[in-house]
Amino acid sequence: MQAQYQALLAQQRRTWNRSITNVALVMAIVVVCWYHIGLFDAERLGEGVPSLFSLVGEMFPPNFSQAASWIKPLFDTLAMSVAGTAIAVLCSIPLAILAARTTSPHPVVYQVARGVLNGLRSIPELIMGIVFVAAVGFGALPGVLALGLHSIGMVAKFFAEAIEHADPAPVEAARAAGCSPLQVIMHGIFPQVLPQMADTAIYRWEYNFRASTVMGMVGAGGIGFELMGSLHIMQYQDVSAILIVILAMVTLVDGFSSFLRRKFK
């Protein structure tokens, strides 16, 4: 018994030492990255602090005199987020079926689908926005296309993982009843994963609303376009007012998305 106790203590000690080593290694990498980007450059940071306070001082008081002209851009931003998320969800469902090991018809199809999702995730929506602005012109349309395509890569990945982790018992029961592969997916898998899919879609809509404000800065319309215009002409009081409006809208969207999550649980 004493030997077993000593062996258990030695194993726990090795596990603890391994954890400490891993944490120390991660912290060393973090510190090196901080040093590389200049986070320890006290002189540069010291020179920037007064400029930052000066800029913040120029932003107050916020100027809401142009608030009426921001209503349409705000609606454009909201519409971009909803339309982009809808495109992503509709395209992600078939892609997720092909990218899940349990439903993909062939390993080659699985690898191709995963490669497509990786490619879509690897291109930031801001870059996609610039490309689509050059292709179809200014406005909300390039923003919707960029948000939708980029979101497919992430939404379909979460959908596929939810499908892979579905309980196999209902799937086997559906197959034993003679269901076709499509019927197995519809009746054996989707009822299990729909809550996770809905939660993912709502979260992505919340993210896309914030991202759509950035899309406006590259000419894709929305309130971000107004924000960039005010920054270009150095109307910092207008900038602070627009930021406050964006914060209020993000808070409302966050509250509404939380309400939707509770309803779908």
Side-chain angles (χ1 to χ4, degrees):
M1 181 66 69
Q2 184 69 22
Q4 293 178 351
Y5 179 71
Q6 292 296 332
L8 180 61
L9 282 180
Q11 181 181 0
Q12 291 292 332
R13 192 177 297 110
R14 287 193 298 269
T15 302
W16 175 255
N17 290 338
R18 191 181 304 114
S19 300
I20 292 294
T21 302
N22 292 337
V23 171
L25 180 61
V26 170
M27 288 304 301
I29 295 173
V30 170
V31 171
V32 170
C33 293
W34 284 349
Y35 177 80
H36 178 72
I37 66 172
L39 193 61
F40 297 134
D41 190 347
E43 181 180 355
R44 185 177 178 184
L45 292 174
E47 293 175 353
V49 169
S51 301
L52 177 62
F53 279 108
S54 175
L55 180 60
V56 171
E58 294 179 17
M59 297 175 70
F60 288 93
N63 179 22
F64 291 95
S65 61
Q66 304 294 324
S69 64
W70 302 336
I71 295 176
K72 184 181 182 302
L74 275 174
F75 180 77
D76 290 344
T77 298
L78 182 62
M80 285 167 56
S81 65
V82 173
T85 304
I87 291 173
V89 171
L90 292 175
C91 296
S92 293
I93 293 174
L95 272 174
I97 294 172
L98 299 177
R101 294 182 187 275
T102 54
T103 55
S104 184
H106 194 275
V108 175
V109 176
Y110 167 80
Q111 294 295 339
V112 171
R114 285 286 177 165
V116 170
L117 299 185
N118 290 337
L120 291 175
R121 286 199 309 274
S122 65
I123 306 174
E125 64 265 21
L126 194 63
I127 303 301
M128 288 187 178
I130 294 172
V131 172
F132 282 119
V133 165
V136 301
F138 294 99
L141 178 59
V144 170
L145 296 175
L147 291 175
L149 278 180
H150 181 73
S151 297
I152 289 171
M154 186 61 68
V155 173
K157 180 177 184 293
F158 283 127
F159 283 6
E161 290 180 354
I163 291 173
E164 288 181 348
H165 290 89
D167 186 359
V171 178
E172 293 171 359
R175 287 173 178 162
C179 293
S180 66
L182 180 60
Q183 290 173 326
V184 170
I185 293 171
M186 294 298 297
H187 301 290
I189 295 177
F190 272 3
Q192 300 184 61
V193 301
L194 278 178
Q196 295 97 313
M197 287 183 169
D199 190 64
T200 299
I202 293 169
Y203 169 77
R204 193 64 195 188
W205 170 61
E206 179 186 335
Y207 171 85
N208 280 342
F209 179 81
R210 294 192 297 268
S212 61
T213 62
V214 180
M215 297 300 299
M217 295 184 178
V218 296
I223 193 65
F225 190 77
E226 300 293 327
L227 178 63
M228 183 56 65
S230 298
L231 281 171
H232 281 161
I233 61 177
M234 293 184 291
Q235 295 291 336
Y236 296 122
Q237 292 179 330
D238 290 351
V239 170
S240 62
I242 294 174
L243 290 175
I244 291 172
V245 170
I246 292 174
L247 174 62
M249 285 296 298
V250 168
T251 303
L252 289 174
V253 168
D254 179 67
F256 186 61
S257 65
S258 298
F259 168 76
L260 291 178
R261 288 193 191 95
R262 290 194 299 270
K263 294 294 286 186
F264 280 105
K265 283 185 178 179

